[in-house]
Structure formats: C-alpha cells, structure tokens
Amino acid sequence: MFIELDLQSETPIYTQLVDQIVEGIASGVLQPGDPLPSIRSLAEDLGINLHTVNKAYNLLKQEGLLQVHRKKGVIVQPDGMPGVTEAFEEKLRRQLRSLAAAAAVRGMAEEVFAQESRAVYREMIANRGRG
Amino acid sequence: MFIELDLQSETPIYTQLVDQIVEGIASGVLQPGDPLPSIRSLAEDLGINLHTVNKAYNLLKQEGLLQVHRKKGVIVQPDGMPGVTEAFEEKLRRQLRSLAAAAAVRGMAEEVFAQESRAVYREMIANRGRG
DNA sequence: TGTTTGTTATATTACATATATAACACAGAT
DNA sequence: ATCTGTGTTATATATGTAATATAACAAACA
C-alpha cells in the first residue's frame, strides 16, 4: 500500500488518509474503478483502528470520490468524479486566502506564490501516463 | 475592530483570530508598529475568553509577527517580518498539495488553479496604499 | 455453513478547545 | 504609596474530537 502515516503529526490520522487517497486519485495511481483495501485489512496493515479507516472512507464517499459496496468493497468512483461546485470554490478560496496571507507577510511575491501553486499542481499529476 | 468571528464554524476561534490578523498585516490594514487591542479588551469586544485571545497572540508572537510588551501591550512586528524559511516553504507546499489534489480530482485545470491562487493573493494585497 | 464485507452501537481513553477564576509581576499614572 | 491596566501563569471545568477496543448485525459469496 502507498499510504504512509505520521503518527506524531498534528494532523489527524483520518485526515492523512483522506489526503493521500485524494492525491492518489489525482496522480493517477488510483484510477476510477480501482479497488481499495477493505476497512479491516487497511486498518491492520497500518496498525490503526477499523473506525479510523471507516471515517476516512465515509468522508470520501460523501464527497463522491469513492463508492462503497457490500461485498465488492470500496472502489474509486467509476461514474464520473464530482465537478467544481460553488461550495468547493468557496472552500478552496478560503484556504488559499490563508496561505496567500502567510506568504505575503513573509515577503513572498505574487509571482512566486502563483508559480509555487502551479508547480505543486504539476508535480501532482506529473506521471498520469503511467503508475 | 475589523475581526469578525463565526462561532458556528468548525475552525477554532483562536485560528480565526490568527488568520484574520495575518490577513490584516498582509493587506496593510495593520502596519508594523501598529498596536493591537489588549488581550482583555479584545476578548470582551468579541465576547470570548481572555485565554482564547492569548493563545492566538502567542502563536503569532512565536511566528515573529507580533511583539508583546509588559505595559506597551501588543504591536505588529516593527523590526522586520520573518522571511520565507525552509520550514515555511515545506508547510506551504504540503498544504498546497492537498488543495491541488482536491482541485485536480474535480477537473480544475492547472492554469485555473494557478490563476485562482494568483487572484486570491492579489486581492489580499489590493489596497496596501490606503486602508 | 462459514467467511468476509460494510455498518452500527457502546464504552473508554486521550487530547484540544473554550471557559471561569484567581493570582502574580511589572509599568505607569494619580 | 496606591491604584490601575498590562501580560503571564496556574487551576479547574465543560465540551467536543480523535482514536481505540469490543461486540454484534445484515448482506454477499464460496
């Protein structure tokens, strides 16, 4: 499994799970229809509790990124990913504003900040051709 | 005072305080050397507890954005803001990665994401001439 | 029948958030 | 000296979140 947890981190375990799965989908490592480990097996692999994995999976299910079946297990959304909704735009801008302010205060120029954003996005989807 | 709290929000009060003060500095509403309300008076104005304001002020003090004196009170860092450290770059990139992944998964193109970042930054510092 | 799946329920521990009081040390004004 | 307002520190409490530990249930499949 491609997931690596930092149990010392201040960011919750279930958030780390959510982030890494989303990044997995964005990067193409996880493709629509691909199966994910069962709640129990992933929990055991990572040495964490069943409910922590369940919480992460459910959040992603509610966002429309995962589908959850009885016996089929958990798979990456095969019927089209959710689009850029108004709610998502708002949330994105709110978080970008916080980052932009912190960057501006430290003297990071507009071009550098924008370029940094572009670079991070590009690296994210760098090898969608192969995984 | 320019601070507005959303007590229903899931983001902690002290985080809202930190964010809005940083945005105040970035936008020029707060200039180096400018005084901030005392811990007690701001707490009373906002209808929150003294310690919540204290926590926010202390975080900003540790980041080097505020100075705290005995009787002089709290002022915006007059001796030069902290620069773009390696630690800050890492933190920024980590958070940008999370946002970029969420955006990419929803089909937001690289150019749109980068432009969104630039626009948010620009609006942040839009009226540094006067406020 | 038995196993594995997601799901739900309950309980417990640990930690973060926020509040409420209280007291302390320091600096300035009266 | 005394009072007042400042940041600071110390306790205590209430609430919510994060994470764990068990247990049980319903559905799908071999």
Side-chain angles (χ1 to χ4, degrees):
Chain A
M1 199 51 193
F2 60 97
I3 292 183
E4 288 182 7
L5 296 180
D6 177 6
L7 300 182
Q8 315 305 321
S9 170
E10 61 182 355
T11 71
I13 297 177
Y14 79 92
T15 301
Q16 295 183 44
L17 283 175
V18 166
D19 280 347
Q20 293 190 35
I21 292 172
V22 173
E23 292 176 22
I25 299 175
S27 69
V29 171
L30 291 175
Q31 308 244 349
D34 278 0
L36 269 72
S38 78
I39 292 177
R40 286 178 176 83
S41 68
L42 181 55
E44 190 171 15
D45 275 14
L46 298 176
I48 62 180
N49 192 271
L50 171 162
H51 294 97
T52 306
V53 177
N54 191 40
K55 183 171 184 177
Y57 277 5
N58 264 318
L59 280 175
L60 292 168
K61 169 183 160 191
Q62 283 185 322
E63 287 185 6
L65 298 184
L66 295 184
Q67 273 188 9
V68 170
H69 297 85
R70 273 277 156 198
K71 181 66 177 182
K72 194 185 297 182
V74 182
I75 62 174
V76 178
Q77 180 62 257
D79 304 330
M81 290 291 165
V84 177
T85 64
E86 188 58 42
F88 176 76
E89 280 262 19
E90 271 188 43
K91 189 174 155 192
L92 175 64
R93 265 195 275 259
R94 184 163 43 76
Q95 299 191 68
L96 278 177
R97 199 174 308 128
S98 176
L99 296 184
V105 156
R106 275 156 236 265
M108 180 181 282
E110 175 185 320
E111 270 311 314
V112 177
F113 181 73
Q115 182 53 32
E116 196 92 59
S117 302
R118 173 184 278 105
V120 167
Y121 182 106
R122 189 169 300 179
E123 290 166 18
M124 172 73 54
I125 64 170
N127 29 13
R128 267 192 177 166
R130 186 65 357 235
Chain B
M1 199 52 193
F2 60 97
I3 292 183
E4 289 181 6
L5 298 180
D6 177 5
L7 300 183
Q8 315 305 321
S9 170
E10 60 181 354
T11 72
I13 297 177
Y14 78 91
T15 301
Q16 295 183 45
L17 284 175
V18 167
D19 280 349
Q20 293 190 35
I21 291 173
V22 173
E23 291 177 21
I25 299 174
S27 70
V29 171
L30 291 174
Q31 307 243 353
D34 279 358
L36 269 72
S38 77
I39 291 176
R40 285 178 177 81
S41 68
L42 181 55
E44 190 171 17
D45 274 14
L46 298 176
I48 61 178
N49 191 272
L50 172 161
H51 294 98
T52 306
V53 177
N54 192 41
K55 184 171 184 175
Y57 277 6
N58 264 319
L59 280 176
L60 292 167
K61 169 182 161 193
Q62 283 185 321
E63 288 185 5
L65 298 184
L66 295 184
Q67 273 190 9
V68 170
H69 298 83
R70 274 276 158 200
K71 180 67 176 180
K72 195 184 295 181
V74 182
I75 62 174
V76 178
Q77 179 63 258
D79 303 330
M81 290 291 165
V84 178
T85 64
E86 189 58 41
F88 176 75
E89 279 261 20
E90 270 187 45
K91 189 174 157 192
L92 175 64
R93 266 196 274 260
R94 185 164 41 77
Q95 298 191 69
L96 278 177
R97 198 174 308 127
S98 174
L99 297 184
V105 155
R106 276 156 236 265
M108 180 179 283
E110 174 186 319
E111 269 312 314
V112 178
F113 181 74
Q115 182 53 33
E116 196 92 60
S117 301
R118 173 183 279 106
V120 166
Y121 183 107
R122 189 169 298 178
E123 289 165 19
M124 172 72 54
I125 64 170
N127 29 12
R128 266 191 177 168
R130 190 48 357 226

